[in-house]
Amino acid sequence: MFAFLKALKRSDAKPFLARIAAGDMILIDLREENELAATGSAQGALHLPLGRLAQAADPANRARHKALSVERPVALYCASGARSAQGVMTLRRLGYTEVHNLGGLSHWQAAGGAVTR
């Protein structure tokens, strides 16, 4: 329970904008395809719905997404921050050491992050 409460804590996206733009941190959009179609996506975000995250990020999975590595910092967002909190817990269980919950797409935009449609 305490792990979820810690994962639920939202990080301000502003300090991460430059790291994401430089490719030093990967940004993952955990929303479903229909949500992206309705609102757009954070510029440069990798789209991995929450239901596919564990398989795509598992270091033991030979078919994992090649952009993901336990050594690479990750920032997650969804619509409100709840799914990204679940994503934080998933990645930490898989051994990822630096994982941040940025909340929802609106938090990304409020921090000055660009959205593409």
Side-chain angles (χ1 to χ4, degrees):
M1 166 121 166
F2 293 113
F4 182 73
L5 293 176
K6 186 175 180 182
L8 193 57
K9 183 176 184 286
R10 186 175 61 82
S11 297
D12 180 15
K14 194 166 193 133
F16 302 118
L17 293 174
R19 290 177 70 189
I20 292 165
D24 296 332
M25 175 180 271
I26 190 160
L27 178 63
I28 301 176
D29 185 333
L30 296 174
R31 299 173 303 147
E32 298 297 326
E33 189 68 40
N34 62 328
E35 293 173 283
L36 271 69
T39 62
S41 182
Q43 187 173 340
L46 172 64
H47 177 232
L48 281 175
L50 181 61
R52 294 189 5 226
L53 181 64
Q55 182 180 13
D58 187 348
N61 181 3
R62 291 177 37 180
R64 73 171 168 76
H65 196 287
K66 300 303 179 202
L68 299 175
S69 165
V70 295
E71 294 89 21
R72 189 168 185 197
V74 178
L76 305 171
Y77 77 92
C78 58
S80 67
R83 281 176 283 183
S84 49
Q86 292 174 23
V88 167
M89 291 178 47
T90 297
L91 293 181
R92 287 184 181 155
R93 276 194 305 270
L94 290 171
Y96 286 71
T97 55
E98 186 179 347
V99 186
H100 302 276
N101 176 358
L102 301 186
L105 181 62
S106 63
H107 298 111
W108 170 259
Q109 290 175 292
V115 173
T116 57
R117 292 192 180 255

